[in-house]
Amino acid sequence: MTKAILNQADIPRKWYNLASDLPIPPLPYLGPDGQPVTPEMMAAIFPMSLIEQEMTAQAEIDIPEEVLAILAKWRPSPLHRAVALEKALGTPAKIFYKNESVSPAGSHKPNTAVAQAYYNKKAGIKRLTTETGAGQWGSALAFACSQMGIECKVFMVRISFDQKPYRKVMMQTWGAECVPSPSMETKLGRKILAEMPDTPGSLAIAISEAVEQAVTDEKGETRYALGSVLNHVMLHQTVIGLETKKQLKMFGIDNPDIVIGCAGGGSNFAGLAFPFMRDKINGADIEIIPVEPASCPSLTKGKFLYDIGDMSGMTPLMAMFSLGHTFIPAPIHAGGLRYHGMSPLVSQTVVEGLASPLSLDQLECYKAAMLFAQTEGLIVAPETSHAVAAAVREALKAKEEGKEKNIVFNLSGHGLMDLKGYQSYMAGELTSHVLQDKEVEGLLADVKGFPEAEIRRSGRWN
Amino acid sequence: MTKAILNQADIPRKWYNLASDLPIPPLPYLGPDGQPVTPEMMAAIFPMSLIEQEMTAQAEIDIPEEVLAILAKWRPSPLHRAVALEKALGTPAKIFYKNESVSPAGSHKPNTAVAQAYYNKKAGIKRLTTETGAGQWGSALAFACSQMGIECKVFMVRISFDQKPYRKVMMQTWGAECVPSPSMETKLGRKILAEMPDTPGSLAIAISEAVEQAVTDEKGETRYALGSVLNHVMLHQTVIGLETKKQLKMFGIDNPDIVIGCAGGGSNFAGLAFPFMRDKINGADIEIIPVEPASCPSLTKGKFLYDIGDMSGMTPLMAMFSLGHTFIPAPIHAGGLRYHGMSPLVSQTVVEGLASPLSLDQLECYKAAMLFAQTEGLIVAPETSHAVAAAVREALKAKEEGKEKNIVFNLSGHGLMDLKGYQSYMAGELTSHVLQDKEVEGLLADVKGFPEAEIRRSGRWN
């Protein structure tokens, strides 16, 4: 057997909330006044049902039937054993990948997009705004809104908008509107374009624009949807890890040795890793690795502090690893990983030592992705190539050590909309992008004046 | 249940050969002298194992373990019920689609590409040449050759090469070479470019170039692979229909009422339909519909006659429906359906009345594909849109008649590499392309002098 296939009835019926199990929960979100944000304060942006999920301490939350019905279009996703890759590496390790690229939008993102569109629709909302980097999230929300019959407007980071013109067509095919960010449609966008007409944009800017459009809708019919970072997004993605646990058992594996996911805002990593994190908290010996680009290394070079999630402070202050909200990362092809911050929940797992982050340069990642394409046959997204490269590293380490480890990574998306990156790589046009320590200090000047985030850990994994 | 999922162990172990069951088998291939082609004559192009499959009367042929191992990367593919589409149409019909878009190359084509690469590798061949229209086949063969560790060179019809630049990158990522056809690399290519420097190319030209390169390799290490038309290609695709029959039973359906596939050379249609054709020959009441573009209607406006499969007569004469081998179809986005001829096996099923062809204009097809994207969530290939549109027609007919029909169609590929067509459609830039009867007569002047193909039918379905 090289592939574990579950039936429609095996789709998880409940999401798993890691916050309920963490020895020390994440610090609260704060308002501009330094006081914890109340649910009511978030109601201009999100429907109350999602705000409740954001703040709950409940361990498991029922997935609505209407959401399950749509997830069933592609879930459960397969778990593959990468036999050909193992052979090419000559490793005694077994490498498994959870294939989230089988969704209509081509990534894990619809897992939360469908849930968010559902709760908004149920709250009477008629329109969602959002940002997108590489386009995976924007496509996913466009798909989800189309399924729920509500409108969708996407602000796409300009560098990706230009690199990937067909992402826009994809969103339009599902009935959504897509504009490059910064745009002339918002106050912030106009201001930035006036100052930096040639900016490649950033996720932080695009988030600000999308939130601005939502909160300035006078009819109150528009809300905002975020594709990563927040607790409720991590929650919705846990179907990935919950399925993977069942599937590994079909291969006779109770606990893998190593769990890997690429991490930008943290959602696909969390989706795979959090259910394993629960086992780790309960004593299992699992190494859990979020992988980020060396050009945007929030977990490995950023600081744990209170920062805003966007460019202009439309979001609350969140305690997370950050490179500073004005950071505009190098224009790498992994647009979905170009984010200055990191999910507060994922950040807290790093503070606790439950997760051990790694940063990789894009050249190593593309090299691994080429090997993966020519062995396993799948062309992965540039974001996903980071997880592939980390899995390759770990498999080679196991070879050196002569250990039969079980490695599982999240194949978060396919790269069929991102072939320009492969083209540039094969033409030798890509360069290394490694953010230096001294650059980070300058970036963090922007967070001065924000409240300090206390580093609190149980000490069990440090 | 909205999706029937099979396990890896349910992948068919044998291909089904329709020729064994046809009341009257297809006419033999003929050489330029009008005499039947012998296996030896084809050996410059294909390995003997495939030639045997081409000519066998055996009903079932074992699938090699090595081929099964690679097919298992994406097979069995899911069979979905299109509940959202049914609802949008308000039809009492049940619509099912077999999702062949889940393969690494995004279509059904790898089913035969893997088998062909395997048999060539086994025969000691080091390199395969081929043609591709929209790019589905070229990508599939690039993937398959990469899996088998042999080289691959693809001549891509120039109109598609220009419309879909990332198809080339996809093939290159799998290590293949891809050049636009007509090219300067072959005698025929140079001749055509001298006469028609602006030609959009055609599958017939690209086939000629690929065959020319294979047969002129002085070391004898190169063979040619064809992605459709031939008997062994139809054979390899029957895994689609064999799986679908099992999956329909999971929905409680012994025989569907209507089976639909789009048809260019005929392979995805045959793959789904031939196993059902066997039931029809044995008495089942099933309507079987190959759907072709109105701009290239070989089955509905062409004539059943002996014609060559390429532009310059590198292939044998085949008895099939054809529009004449010099026909250059309008540059519709469904590049995979721009072929002058039709599989001899599929042609014979039409002669017999076992299949009832339909031709549709691209505007109706894109309209149906947009509806499909916004209901079922999947963006289909322009080729596949023809099958979707036919399924929509049949579902609406069932509504008019108040009949609860079971309709199944082959979702042969996704359209993520073909979004330019959707873009043009949404911008209102696409026009109708309907080939007129009077145009066909002129086209068929080219086949004068070829032997006549006798129309032989049992009369059981006419």
Side-chain angles (χ1 to χ4, degrees):
Chain A
M1 188 177 84
T2 54
K3 192 170 60 167
I5 299 179
L6 297 170
N7 290 310
Q8 192 168 335
D10 292 315
I11 300 175
R13 319 292 291 187
K14 291 171 193 294
W15 291 302
Y16 166 61
N17 175 24
L18 179 72
S20 67
D21 282 322
L22 277 181
I24 296 167
L27 290 164
Y29 298 161
L30 303 180
D33 57 357
Q35 294 305 306
V37 165
T38 61
E40 291 67 34
M41 290 165 74
M42 298 176 81
I45 308 184
F46 300 118
M48 201 47 76
S49 44
L50 288 175
I51 297 170
E52 280 163 17
Q53 291 182 0
E54 188 65 23
M55 301 190 161
T56 185
Q58 213 177 308
E60 290 177 332
I61 291 166
D62 288 335
I63 307 179
E65 286 300 326
E66 295 88 335
V67 172
L68 285 170
I70 297 174
L71 296 185
K73 291 190 174 183
W74 70 94
R75 304 209 73 84
S77 68
L79 181 78
H80 299 255
R81 184 168 157 207
V83 182
L85 176 63
E86 291 168 15
K87 201 176 154 194
L89 296 172
T91 179
K94 285 181 187 153
I95 306 173
F96 300 89
Y97 57 95
K98 178 68 168 168
N99 189 357
E100 289 294 304
S101 77
V102 297
S103 79
S107 80
H108 66 293
K109 293 289 187 187
N111 295 330
T112 183
V114 170
Q116 292 190 50
Y118 167 77
Y119 288 115
N120 275 285
K121 165 90 173 182
K122 219 178 146 198
I125 297 306
K126 304 236 164 94
R127 188 179 309 102
L128 284 175
T129 63
T130 197
E131 79 296 332
T132 198
Q136 299 275 26
W137 168 244
S139 308
L141 195 68
F143 157 74
C145 286
S146 156
Q147 291 287 308
M148 291 296 168
I150 60 178
E151 292 171 32
C152 179
K153 170 141 182 191
V154 181
F155 291 86
M156 184 168 186
V157 176
R158 193 203 272 177
I159 174 76
S160 295
F161 188 90
D162 292 341
Q163 283 176 342
K164 301 168 187 182
Y166 290 118
R167 276 285 179 194
K168 180 186 64 180
V169 182
M170 200 171 169
M171 296 180 222
Q172 289 170 333
T173 301
W174 281 314
E177 190 187 347
C178 174
V179 294
S181 166
S183 76
M184 294 300 285
E185 299 198 21
T186 66
K187 215 170 130 184
L188 179 77
R190 288 187 293 270
K191 179 166 171 285
I192 291 173
L193 283 174
E195 290 166 8
M196 301 184 287
D198 295 327
T199 178
S202 73
L203 276 170
I205 297 171
I207 294 173
S208 289
E209 290 203 84
V211 176
E212 186 186 320
Q213 276 226 331
V215 299
T216 54
D217 172 14
E218 286 171 9
K219 287 195 190 158
E221 293 175 342
T222 307
R223 290 290 181 280
Y224 164 75
L226 187 65
S228 194
V229 181
L230 298 178
N231 302 344
H232 68 271
V233 181
M234 308 296 127
L235 178 78
H236 300 156
Q237 292 294 355
T238 55
V239 290
I240 302 172
L242 293 168
E243 286 177 10
T244 303
K245 281 166 62 73
K246 279 192 199 178
Q247 289 166 310
L248 282 173
K249 285 201 171 53
M250 293 164 74
F251 282 106
I253 297 169
D254 278 333
N255 274 312
D257 298 292
I258 300 169
V259 172
I260 296 168
C262 65
S267 82
N268 95 75
F269 165 74
L272 176 66
F274 281 6
F276 292 102
M277 207 85 87
R278 184 175 214 180
D279 297 337
K280 185 162 181 172
I281 291 170
N282 292 325
D285 183 15
I286 309 174
E287 196 180 343
I288 299 178
I289 308 175
V291 193
E292 54 186 14
S295 56
C296 192
S298 56
L299 288 172
T300 50
K301 295 207 172 169
K303 295 280 176 293
F304 184 76
L305 41 72
Y306 265 109
D307 197 357
I308 47 178
D310 65 331
M311 181 68 132
S312 63
M314 309 286 296
T315 74
L317 287 157
M318 295 179 282
M320 60 180 177
F321 283 93
S322 175
L323 294 161
H325 57 270
T326 55
F327 177 44
I328 296 187
I332 57 167
H333 283 274
L337 305 183
R338 293 176 72 250
Y339 184 62
H340 69 281
M342 180 57 67
S343 145
L345 264 177
V346 170
S347 294
Q348 181 59 28
T349 68
V350 172
V351 166
E352 268 290 5
L354 282 162
S356 314
L358 172 72
S359 75
L360 295 176
D361 181 62
Q362 68 172 352
L363 292 180
E364 177 173 347
C365 298
Y366 270 106
K367 187 181 169 194
M370 289 292 294
L371 177 65
F372 194 76
Q374 296 190 2
T375 51
E376 291 303 308
L378 292 174
I379 298 174
V380 303
E383 292 80 5
T384 309
S385 73
H386 291 72
V388 176
V392 167
R393 273 198 182 194
E394 290 297 332
L396 291 175
K397 203 166 108 189
K399 182 182 180 181
E400 248 175 56
E401 297 170 349
K403 286 186 184 162
E404 293 181 18
K405 288 184 181 170
N406 293 311
I407 301 167
V408 56
F409 74 87
N410 196 6
L411 196 157
S412 55
H414 66 63
L416 300 186
M417 306 297 293
D418 310 281
L419 288 163
K420 192 169 181 174
Y422 282 87
Q423 188 175 32
S424 301
Y425 176 75
M426 287 187 277
E429 292 164 4
L430 291 191
T431 53
S432 282
H433 285 292
V434 180
L435 191 74
Q436 303 301 322
D437 291 336
K438 59 176 189 279
E439 296 176 83
V440 177
E441 279 174 40
L443 293 168
L444 291 177
D446 290 312
V447 304
K448 276 177 189 154
F450 289 163
E452 213 170 297
E454 192 191 347
I455 292 189
R456 304 177 305 162
R457 51 169 70 105
S458 67
R460 286 172 57 191
W461 300 277
N462 299 94
Chain B
M1 188 176 84
T2 55
K3 190 169 62 169
I5 298 179
L6 298 170
N7 290 310
Q8 193 168 334
D10 291 314
I11 300 175
R13 319 292 290 186
K14 292 171 192 292
W15 291 303
Y16 166 62
N17 174 24
L18 178 72
S20 67
D21 282 323
L22 277 182
I24 296 167
L27 290 164
Y29 298 162
L30 303 180
D33 57 358
Q35 293 305 305
V37 165
T38 62
E40 292 67 33
M41 291 166 73
M42 298 176 81
I45 308 186
F46 300 118
M48 201 47 77
S49 44
L50 289 176
I51 297 170
E52 280 164 17
Q53 291 183 1
E54 188 65 24
M55 300 187 162
T56 185
Q58 214 176 307
E60 290 177 332
I61 291 167
D62 287 336
I63 307 178
E65 286 300 326
E66 295 89 335
V67 173
L68 285 170
I70 297 174
L71 295 185
K73 290 189 175 184
W74 70 95
R75 303 210 72 85
S77 66
L79 180 78
H80 299 255
R81 184 167 158 208
V83 182
L85 176 63
E86 292 167 14
K87 201 176 152 193
L89 296 172
T91 179
K94 286 181 186 156
I95 306 173
F96 300 89
Y97 57 95
K98 178 69 167 168
N99 188 358
E100 290 294 304
S101 77
V102 296
S103 80
S107 79
H108 67 293
K109 293 287 187 188
N111 295 329
T112 183
V114 170
Q116 292 190 49
Y118 167 78
Y119 287 114
N120 275 284
K121 165 89 174 183
K122 220 180 147 196
I125 297 307
K126 303 237 163 92
R127 189 177 310 101
L128 285 175
T129 62
T130 197
E131 80 296 333
T132 199
Q136 298 275 27
W137 168 244
S139 309
L141 194 68
F143 157 75
C145 286
S146 157
Q147 291 287 308
M148 291 295 168
I150 60 178
E151 291 172 31
C152 179
K153 171 139 180 192
V154 181
F155 291 86
M156 185 168 185
V157 176
R158 193 202 270 177
I159 175 75
S160 294
F161 188 89
D162 293 340
Q163 281 176 343
K164 301 169 186 182
Y166 291 118
R167 275 285 177 193
K168 179 185 66 178
V169 181
M170 199 171 170
M171 296 180 222
Q172 289 170 334
T173 301
W174 281 313
E177 191 187 344
C178 174
V179 294
S181 165
S183 77
M184 293 300 285
E185 299 198 19
T186 66
K187 214 170 130 186
L188 178 77
R190 289 187 292 273
K191 180 166 171 281
I192 291 172
L193 283 175
E195 290 166 9
M196 300 184 287
D198 295 327
T199 177
S202 73
L203 276 169
I205 296 171
I207 294 173
S208 289
E209 290 202 85
V211 176
E212 185 185 321
Q213 276 225 332
V215 299
T216 55
D217 172 14
E218 286 171 7
K219 288 194 190 156
E221 292 175 343
T222 307
R223 291 290 181 281
Y224 165 75
L226 187 64
S228 193
V229 181
L230 298 177
N231 301 344
H232 67 271
V233 181
M234 307 297 127
L235 178 78
H236 300 156
Q237 292 293 357
T238 55
V239 291
I240 302 171
L242 293 168
E243 286 177 9
T244 303
K245 281 167 62 75
K246 279 191 199 180
Q247 289 166 309
L248 283 174
K249 285 199 171 52
M250 293 165 74
F251 281 107
I253 296 170
D254 279 332
N255 274 313
D257 298 291
I258 300 170
V259 173
I260 296 168
C262 65
S267 81
N268 96 75
F269 165 74
L272 176 65
F274 281 6
F276 292 102
M277 207 86 87
R278 185 176 213 179
D279 298 336
K280 185 163 181 170
I281 291 170
N282 292 324
D285 182 17
I286 308 173
E287 195 178 344
I288 300 178
I289 307 175
V291 192
E292 54 186 13
S295 55
C296 191
S298 56
L299 288 172
T300 48
K301 294 207 171 169
K303 295 278 176 294
F304 184 78
L305 40 72
Y306 266 110
D307 197 358
I308 48 179
D310 65 332
M311 181 69 135
S312 63
M314 310 287 293
T315 75
L317 287 158
M318 295 179 283
M320 61 182 177
F321 283 92
S322 175
L323 293 162
H325 57 271
T326 55
F327 177 46
I328 296 187
I332 57 167
H333 283 275
L337 305 183
R338 293 176 71 250
Y339 184 60
H340 68 281
M342 179 56 67
S343 146
L345 263 178
V346 170
S347 293
Q348 181 59 28
T349 68
V350 172
V351 166
E352 267 291 4
L354 282 161
S356 313
L358 172 71
S359 75
L360 294 177
D361 182 61
Q362 69 172 350
L363 292 181
E364 178 173 348
C365 297
Y366 270 106
K367 187 181 168 194
M370 291 290 295
L371 177 64
F372 194 76
Q374 298 192 1
T375 51
E376 292 304 307
L378 293 172
I379 297 174
V380 302
E383 292 80 6
T384 309
S385 73
H386 292 72
V388 177
V392 166
R393 272 199 184 194
E394 290 298 332
L396 291 176
K397 203 165 108 188
K399 182 182 178 179
E400 246 174 59
E401 296 171 348
K403 286 187 184 163
E404 292 181 20
K405 289 185 183 171
N406 292 311
I407 301 168
V408 57
F409 75 88
N410 196 6
L411 196 156
S412 55
H414 65 63
L416 300 185
M417 307 298 293
D418 311 280
L419 288 164
K420 194 170 180 174
Y422 282 87
Q423 189 174 32
S424 301
Y425 176 73
M426 287 187 278
E429 292 163 6
L430 291 190
T431 52
S432 282
H433 285 292
V434 180
L435 191 73
Q436 303 302 321
D437 292 336
K438 57 176 191 279
E439 295 176 82
V440 177
E441 280 174 38
L443 293 168
L444 291 177
D446 288 313
V447 302
K448 276 178 192 154
F450 288 163
E452 211 169 301
E454 190 190 349
I455 292 188
R456 303 178 306 163
R457 49 169 71 105
S458 67
R460 285 173 57 192
W461 298 278
N462 301 92

